[in-house]
């Protein structure tokens, strides 16, 4: 199934905010494997974006009609009201970054089914010491994507005022 791009007009069956050509331009200069499947990566990135929709500002523009979290109403971006019929550039950049992360082998979702990791292994008379679960984490590896997503989310924002 090909990518169907949401452009802000509530496109039926939309499954991406970016095209494969946009990804190629974004990823220029990065090592991307020749076997890379941009369509799969785009859908994985959307799955990640969908998983954080509850943290996003505003509400879907047409909740019963649209397949993706954008377009949205009641969104303020950089202090300005964002149009209900548009896709923020920062959201597109987040999807592109997540696709690049997929291309580089970064897991977008942690694997909490992993077994324990070996801390120490001794061969004679066989001794093995385990610690914690060998869980693939994503937090520190998705910094760039979260940087693009943060203006679109409702989070704890601390403002300092000098008195």
């Amino acid at each position: 199934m090909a990518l169907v791009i949401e452009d802000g007009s509530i496109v039926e069956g939309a499954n991406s905010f970016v095209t494969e050509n946009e990804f190629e331009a974004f990823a220029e200069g990065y090592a991307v494997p020749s076997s890379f499947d941009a369509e799969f990566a785009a859908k994985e990135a959307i799955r990640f974006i969908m998983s954080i929709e509850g943290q996003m500002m505003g509400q879907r523009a047409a909740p019963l009609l649209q397949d993706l979290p954008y377009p949205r109403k009641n969104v303020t971006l950089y202090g300005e009201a964002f149009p209900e019929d548009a896709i923020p550039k920062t959201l597109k950049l987040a999807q592109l970054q997540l696709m690049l992360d997929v291309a580089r082998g970064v897991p977008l979702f942690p694997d909490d089914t992993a077994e324990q990791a070996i801390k120490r292994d001794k061969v004679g008379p066989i001794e093995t010491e385990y610690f914690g679960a060998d869980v693939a984490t994503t937090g520190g590896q998705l910094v760039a994507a979260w940087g693009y997503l943060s203006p679109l989310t409702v989070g704890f924002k601390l403002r300092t005022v000098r008195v």
Side-chain angles (χ1 to χ4, degrees):
M1 185 173 150
L3 292 180
V4 179
I5 309 303
E6 176 59 71
D7 60 7
S9 64
I10 307 174
V11 176
E12 186 176 343
N15 59 10
S16 181
F17 296 113
V18 299
T19 65
E20 291 183 40
N21 289 340
E22 287 174 300
F23 175 74
E24 287 174 15
F26 181 82
E28 190 173 325
Y30 290 95
V32 176
S34 59
S35 62
F36 178 67
D37 183 352
E39 184 179 328
F40 170 78
K43 291 175 183 177
E44 279 298 289
I46 286 296
R47 208 166 63 92
F48 181 87
I49 291 168
M50 298 282 289
S51 77
I52 64 151
E53 183 176 1
Q55 299 173 44
M56 291 181 173
M57 275 188 265
Q59 306 82 32
R60 289 183 179 211
L64 300 178
L65 299 176
Q66 68 191 81
D67 295 310
L68 299 178
Y70 265 84
R72 295 178 86 74
K73 55 187 175 184
N74 302 319
V75 173
T76 303
L77 190 57
Y78 306 116
E80 300 286 330
F82 191 78
E84 292 181 22
D85 62 349
I87 305 301
K89 182 176 183 177
T90 191
L91 179 63
K92 293 177 80 166
L93 290 170
Q95 184 180 2
L96 291 166
Q97 180 62 51
L98 289 164
M99 290 172 69
L100 185 58
D101 290 338
V102 169
R104 294 157 74 189
V106 175
L108 301 187
F109 298 94
D111 177 10
D112 59 0
T113 62
E115 296 180 16
Q116 289 185 318
I118 297 174
K119 179 178 180 181
R120 185 167 57 107
D121 194 12
K122 184 178 176 185
V123 177
I126 308 172
E127 181 179 313
T128 305
E129 185 178 343
Y130 298 95
F131 67 97
D134 185 18
V135 177
T137 58
T138 62
Q141 297 178 358
L142 299 178
V143 173
W146 275 111
Y148 291 128
L149 288 168
S150 67
L152 305 172
T153 61
V154 178
F156 180 74
K157 296 181 180 168
L158 184 63
R159 194 177 103 176
T160 306
V161 179
R162 189 174 254 189
V163 185

